[in-house]
Amino acid sequence: MTSLLLAVLMLSASSAMPYVPVKHNNSTFQCPPTTCPDADTNHIKAAMQTFAHEFYTAKDVSGAFNTFVAEDYIQHNAGILSGREAAINSLGPLFGSAVNTFDVKRLTVGQDTDNNTMVIIHLEASNTSSNQTMKTDVVDMYRVVGTCIVEHWDVLQAEESNPENPLAYF
Ligand SMILES: *[C@@H]1O[C@H](CO)[C@@H](O)[C@H](O)[C@H]1NC(C)=O
Ligand SMILES: *[C@@H]1O[C@H](CO)[C@@H](O)[C@H](O)[C@H]1NC(C)=O
Ligand SMILES: *[C@@H]1O[C@H](CO)[C@@H](O)[C@H](O)[C@H]1NC(C)=O
Ligand SMILES: *[C@@H]1O[C@H](CO)[C@@H](O)[C@H](O)[C@H]1NC(C)=O
Ligand SMILES: *[C@@H]1O[C@H](CO)[C@@H](O)[C@H](O)[C@H]1NC(C)=O
């Protein structure tokens, strides 16, 4: 117990960016018990790397969402209603399909000007059907309370096979 506390204190002390939590009514989002509302930046980074691995790489949508996403999280994707269950039902088939893969390029944890903690995951989605692979440049943005995801936005751009810019997309 003491060594755990010490480790947590050391993590806080070594964190480059102080975590200034916004006052949220935590109970309104129904965060899963596997999340920690007052996690510091390093803890949030580690949790979001685990979330990204489970969700995008391992494609375990329900496992990742039931561990890290609030039951009542707010959805801004135009094709999916708010709430964890709606997201799992909608994303399950997409991620479950063997033709689709998701390659995480970068993951950023930071704070916006209102001191909300934001997680930005930049990734490449690939869909291989017949002999063609269609690639999409995706930015998923999440607002978190500690290690709990409570809100989501995304922006998608279809990749061209021969873009003008050799540094395009990533
Ligand atoms: C939310 O949880 C954090 C961490 O446990 C706590 O410090 C904060 O007071 C809680 N907010 C409310 C409104 O209960
Ligand atoms: C937080 O939200 C819940 C559910 O809406 C409500 O029952 C509770 O009274 C609220 N707590 C505070 C401190 O505002
Ligand atoms: C993959 O792309 C093909 C061709 O655009 C499309 O018909 C199919 O629905 C996509 N598959 C998935 C699982 O998104
Ligand atoms: C964000 O946190 C900083 C440091 O505590 C504080 O000075 C600032 O007023 C906060 N901004 C908002 C919008 O709450
Ligand atoms: C895939 O490419 C091979 C070799 O070019 C070709 O023989 C085959 O017909 C193609 N399959 C489809 C479904 O387009």
Side-chain angles (χ1 to χ4, degrees), residues 129-132:
S129 57
S130 310
N131 290 340
Q132 272 203 317

Side-chain angles (χ1 to χ4, degrees), residues 6-71:
L6 194 66
V8 169
L9 287 172
M10 281 165 67
L11 260 183
S12 311
S14 65
S15 139
M17 184 176 60
Y19 176 62
V20 184
V22 167
K23 298 264 176 285
H24 283 295
N25 180 347
N26 305 321
S27 63
T28 56
F29 294 112
Q30 316 246 35
C31 285
T34 40
T35 59
C36 175
D38 50 4
D40 70 8
T41 306
N42 284 338
H43 184 172
I44 296 170
K45 280 182 186 166
M48 289 301 107
Q49 279 173 315
T50 303
F51 168 74
H53 178 80
E54 286 182 10
F55 179 30
Y56 301 105
T57 311
K59 304 200 291 178
D60 178 5
V61 177
S62 63
F65 275 60
N66 285 319
T67 306
F68 293 104
V69 177
E71 205 176 313

